[in-house]
């Protein structure tokens, strides 16, 4: 695997191999890389989890992390992303992890760039490393995918997590439902009420309301009442069912604040799992260089 760009391009075997390697890393396995690689994290949108988690994973597998400050780069002087990445390649980098506002920003990097590109989120497109850590979290819980039901709830039209997860989960045999306000369904067929959802779902995956991508104001209270995971709704979930959320969480909007760390919640576990998954992604890519 040279790059990680979209879940569309990963086979089920590649997904399972990353999940299995993440589990080995979590159990203490050592990386299988014969040299230190140079990597940089280029984040043109805000991030707490993904950026820090990649940097931790890079250091844990022995990479040298080259600092890159998007806000002080020559892109502010008009340099293109292509020229920026080509410059880093010529300086000697092996891989770049990129988050950018534009959907499919990586298309301009497919020709002429030899450094490996790991997509850490493209606009409202894809978030493959988040998807892989979501899959690892689900697999750790149930030891299978086939036959599970996952309901993704919230700002689906703007969510790169929903798109990435839906592609991969469906291909792995999971029944994926969507629940959201009618105007937020995007191209997905969704339900507009909780009817029947809690009784059948093994995973309730909540999504962050992406305020920065909305221009029409909405009521947080009304959203919580209609689409949020309230304490009352949590009580109706199946006994073994779990709660997920890629975070950051808008507490008391997508989920009642007191449920964020409840027994069923895997929200902070997802963040913990992400480091091992990103170690597996980086090792898979870098060992082929
Ligand atoms: N889940 C996620 O992508 O979080 P950050 O925006 O903090 O990286």
């Amino acid at each position: 695997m040279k790059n990680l760009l979209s879940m569309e391009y990963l086979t089920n075997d590649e997904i399972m191999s990353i999940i299995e390697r993440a589990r080995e890393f979590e159990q203490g396995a050592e990386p299988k890389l014969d040299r230190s690689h140079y990597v940089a994290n280029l984040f043109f949108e805000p991030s707490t989890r993904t950026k820090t988690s990649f940097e931790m994973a890079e250091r844990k597998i022995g990479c040298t992390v080259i600092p890159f400050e998007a806000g002080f780069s020559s892109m502010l002087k008009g340099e293109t992303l292509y020229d920026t990445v080509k410059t880093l390649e010529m300086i000697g980098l092996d891989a770049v992890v990129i988050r950018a506002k534009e959907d499919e920003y990586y298309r301009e990097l497919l020709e002429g760039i030899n450094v490996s590109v790991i997509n850490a989120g493209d606009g409202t497109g894809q978030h493959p490393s988040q998807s892989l850590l979501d899959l690892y979290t689900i697999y750790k819980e149930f030891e299978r995918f086939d036959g599970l039901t996952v309901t993704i709830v919230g700002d689906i039209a703007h969510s790169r997590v929903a798109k990435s997860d839906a592609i991969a989960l469906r291909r792995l045999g999971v029944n994926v439902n969507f629940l959201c306000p009618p105007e937020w369904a995007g191209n997905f067929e969704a339900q507009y009420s909780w009817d029947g959802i809690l009784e059948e779902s093994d995973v309730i995956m909540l999504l962050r309301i992406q305020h920065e991508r909305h221009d029409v104001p909405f009521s947080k209270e009304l959203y919580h009442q209609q689409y949020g995971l309230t304490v009352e709704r949590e009580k109706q979930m199946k006994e073994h069912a779990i709660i997920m959320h890629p975070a950051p969480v808008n507490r008391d909007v997508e989920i009642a604040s007191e449920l964020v760390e409840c027994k069923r919640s895997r929200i902070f576990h997802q963040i913990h799992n992400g480091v091992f998954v990103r170690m597996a992604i980086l090792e898979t890519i870098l060992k082929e260089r």
Side-chain angles (χ1 to χ4, degrees), residues 123-163:
T124 59
Q126 286 274 312
H127 195 345
S129 69
Q130 177 71 44
S131 181
L132 287 162
L133 78 85
D134 290 345
L135 297 176
Y136 179 46
T137 304
I138 293 170
Y139 196 73
K140 266 174 76 173
E141 194 70 34
F142 299 101
E143 294 293 332
R144 68 187 169 97
F145 290 109
D146 201 30
L148 294 175
T149 295
V150 173
T151 300
I152 304 179
V153 186
D155 194 353
I156 291 162
H158 293 108
S159 175
R160 46 200 181 204
V161 176
K163 287 166 199 140

Side-chain angles (χ1 to χ4, degrees), residues 113-130:
I113 295 290
N114 291 314
V115 66
S116 289
V117 178
I118 298 173
N119 180 11
D122 60 297
T124 59
Q126 286 274 312
H127 195 345
S129 69
Q130 177 71 44

